[in-house]
Coordinates of all heavy atoms in Angstrom, one line a residue:
I532 N 0.8 -1.2 0.0 CA 0.0 0.0 0.0 C 0.9 1.3 0.0 O 0.6 2.2 -0.7 CB -0.9 0.0 1.2 CG1 -1.9 -1.2 1.2 CG2 -1.7 1.3 1.3 CD1 -2.9 -1.2 0.1
R533 N 1.9 1.3 0.8 CA 2.8 2.4 0.9 C 3.4 2.8 -0.4 O 3.6 3.9 -0.8 CB 3.8 2.3 2.0 CG 3.3 1.8 3.4 CD 2.4 2.9 4.0 NE 3.2 3.9 4.7 CZ 2.6 5.1 5.1 NH1 1.3 5.3 4.8 NH2 3.3 6.0 5.7
L534 N 3.8 1.7 -1.1 CA 4.4 1.8 -2.5 C 3.4 2.5 -3.4 O 3.8 3.4 -4.3 CB 4.8 0.5 -3.0 CG 5.9 0.3 -4.0 CD1 7.2 1.1 -3.6 CD2 6.3 -1.2 -4.2
A535 N 2.2 2.1 -3.3 CA 1.1 2.7 -4.2 C 0.8 4.2 -3.8 O 0.5 5.0 -4.7 CB -0.1 1.9 -4.1
E536 N 1.0 4.5 -2.6 CA 0.7 5.9 -2.1 C 1.7 6.9 -2.5 O 1.4 8.1 -2.8 CB 0.5 5.9 -0.6 CG -0.8 5.2 -0.1 CD -0.7 5.1 1.4 OE1 0.2 5.4 2.1 OE2 -1.8 4.6 2.0
A537 N 3.0 6.5 -2.4 CA 4.1 7.4 -2.5 C 4.1 8.3 -3.8 O 4.3 9.6 -3.6 CB 5.4 6.6 -2.5
P538 N 3.7 7.9 -5.0 CA 3.7 8.8 -6.2 C 2.8 10.0 -6.0 O 3.1 11.1 -6.5 CB 3.3 7.9 -7.3 CG 3.5 6.5 -6.9 CD 3.4 6.5 -5.4
S539 N 1.7 9.8 -5.3 CA 0.7 10.9 -5.2 C 1.4 12.1 -4.3 O 0.9 13.2 -4.4 CB -0.6 10.5 -4.6 OG -0.4 10.0 -3.3
Y540 N 2.4 11.8 -3.6 CA 3.2 12.8 -2.8 C 4.4 13.3 -3.6 O 5.1 14.2 -3.1 CB 3.6 12.2 -1.5 CG 2.4 12.0 -0.6 CD1 1.8 10.7 -0.6 CD2 1.8 12.9 0.2 CE1 0.7 10.5 0.2 CE2 0.7 12.7 1.0 CZ 0.1 11.5 1.0 OH -0.9 11.2 1.8
G541 N 4.6 12.7 -4.8 CA 5.8 13.2 -5.6 C 7.1 12.8 -5.0 O 8.1 13.5 -5.3
I542 N 7.2 11.7 -4.2 CA 8.4 11.3 -3.7 C 8.5 9.7 -3.8 O 7.5 9.1 -3.7 CB 8.7 11.7 -2.2 CG1 7.5 11.4 -1.3 CG2 9.0 13.2 -2.1 CD1 7.7 11.7 0.2
P543 N 9.8 9.2 -3.8 CA 9.9 7.8 -3.9 C 9.7 7.1 -2.5 O 9.7 7.8 -1.5 CB 11.4 7.6 -4.3 CG 12.1 8.9 -3.9 CD 11.0 10.0 -4.0
I544 N 9.5 5.8 -2.5 CA 9.2 5.1 -1.3 C 10.3 5.2 -0.2 O 9.9 5.3 0.9 CB 8.9 3.6 -1.6 CG1 8.3 2.9 -0.4 CG2 10.1 2.9 -2.2 CD1 6.9 3.3 0.0
C545 N 11.5 5.3 -0.6 CA 12.6 5.4 0.4 C 12.6 6.7 1.2 O 13.2 6.8 2.2 CB 14.0 5.2 -0.3 SG 14.4 6.4 -1.5
M546 N 11.9 7.7 0.6 CA 11.6 8.9 1.4 C 10.3 9.0 2.1 O 10.1 9.5 3.1 CB 11.7 10.1 0.4 CG 13.1 10.4 -0.1 SD 13.2 11.5 -1.5 CE 12.7 13.1 -0.7
Y547 N 9.3 8.4 1.4 CA 7.9 8.4 1.9 C 7.8 7.4 3.1 O 7.2 7.8 4.1 CB 6.9 7.9 0.8 CG 5.5 7.9 1.2 CD1 4.8 9.1 1.6 CD2 4.8 6.7 1.2 CE1 3.4 9.0 2.0 CE2 3.4 6.6 1.6 CZ 2.8 7.8 2.0 OH 1.5 7.7 2.3
D548 N 8.3 6.2 3.0 CA 8.2 5.3 4.1 C 9.5 4.4 4.1 O 9.4 3.3 3.5 CB 6.9 4.5 4.1 CG 6.8 3.6 5.3 OD1 7.7 3.5 6.2 OD2 5.7 3.1 5.5
P549 N 10.6 4.9 4.6 CA 11.9 4.2 4.4 C 12.0 2.8 5.0 O 12.8 2.0 4.6 CB 12.9 5.1 5.2 CG 12.2 6.4 5.4 CD 10.7 6.2 5.4
K550 N 11.1 2.5 5.9 CA 11.2 1.2 6.6 C 10.1 0.2 6.0 O 10.0 -0.9 6.5 CB 10.9 1.3 8.1 CG 12.1 2.0 8.8 CD 11.9 2.0 10.3 CE 13.2 2.4 11.0 NZ 13.6 3.8 10.7
S551 N 9.4 0.6 5.0 CA 8.3 -0.3 4.4 C 9.0 -1.4 3.6 O 10.1 -1.4 3.2 CB 7.4 0.5 3.5 OG 8.1 1.0 2.4
A552 N 8.2 -2.4 3.4 CA 8.6 -3.6 2.7 C 9.0 -3.2 1.2 O 9.9 -3.7 0.7 CB 7.5 -4.7 2.6
G553 N 8.2 -2.2 0.7 CA 8.5 -1.8 -0.7 C 9.9 -1.1 -0.8 O 10.6 -1.3 -1.7
A554 N 10.2 -0.2 0.2 CA 11.5 0.4 0.2 C 12.6 -0.5 0.3 O 13.6 -0.4 -0.4 CB 11.5 1.5 1.4
E555 N 12.5 -1.5 1.2 CA 13.5 -2.5 1.4 C 13.7 -3.3 0.1 O 14.9 -3.6 -0.3 CB 13.1 -3.5 2.5 CG 13.5 -3.0 3.9 CD 15.0 -2.6 3.9 OE1 15.9 -3.4 3.6 OE2 15.3 -1.5 4.3
A556 N 12.6 -3.7 -0.6 CA 12.7 -4.4 -1.8 C 13.5 -3.7 -2.9 O 14.3 -4.2 -3.6 CB 11.3 -4.8 -2.3
Y557 N 13.2 -2.4 -3.1 CA 13.9 -1.6 -4.1 C 15.4 -1.4 -3.7 O 16.2 -1.3 -4.6 CB 13.2 -0.3 -4.4 CG 12.1 -0.6 -5.4 CD1 10.7 -0.5 -5.1 CD2 12.4 -0.9 -6.7 CE1 9.7 -0.8 -6.0 CE2 11.4 -1.2 -7.7 CZ 10.1 -1.1 -7.3 OH 9.1 -1.4 -8.2
R558 N 15.7 -1.3 -2.4 CA 17.1 -1.2 -2.0 C 17.8 -2.5 -2.4 O 19.0 -2.5 -2.9 CB 17.2 -1.0 -0.5 CG 16.9 0.4 -0.1 CD 17.3 0.7 1.4 NE 16.7 1.9 1.8 CZ 15.6 2.0 2.5 NH1 15.0 1.0 3.0 NH2 15.1 3.2 2.9
N559 N 17.1 -3.7 -2.2 CA 17.7 -5.0 -2.6 C 17.9 -5.1 -4.1 O 18.9 -5.6 -4.5 CB 16.8 -6.1 -2.1 CG 16.8 -6.2 -0.5 OD1 17.7 -5.7 0.1 ND2 15.8 -6.8 0.0
L560 N 17.0 -4.6 -4.8 CA 17.1 -4.6 -6.3 C 18.3 -3.8 -6.7 O 19.0 -4.1 -7.6 CB 15.8 -4.1 -6.9 CG 15.8 -4.2 -8.5 CD1 15.9 -5.6 -9.0 CD2 14.5 -3.5 -9.0

């Protein structure tokens, strides 16, 4: 959900919710 929300704020997930599963996944990628 956090990954889906972030674009509406104009920021990437690592800034919107740095500890979310989505942020961790993109760091791993």
Side-chain angles (χ1 to χ4, degrees):
I532 298 296
R533 308 296 277 167
L534 206 47
E536 288 171 354
S539 62
Y540 293 90
I542 50 174
I544 188 66
C545 63
M546 291 166 68
Y547 179 65
D548 189 349
K550 291 189 166 61
S551 66
E555 274 310 303
Y557 276 109
R558 284 190 192 105
N559 293 339
L560 181 62

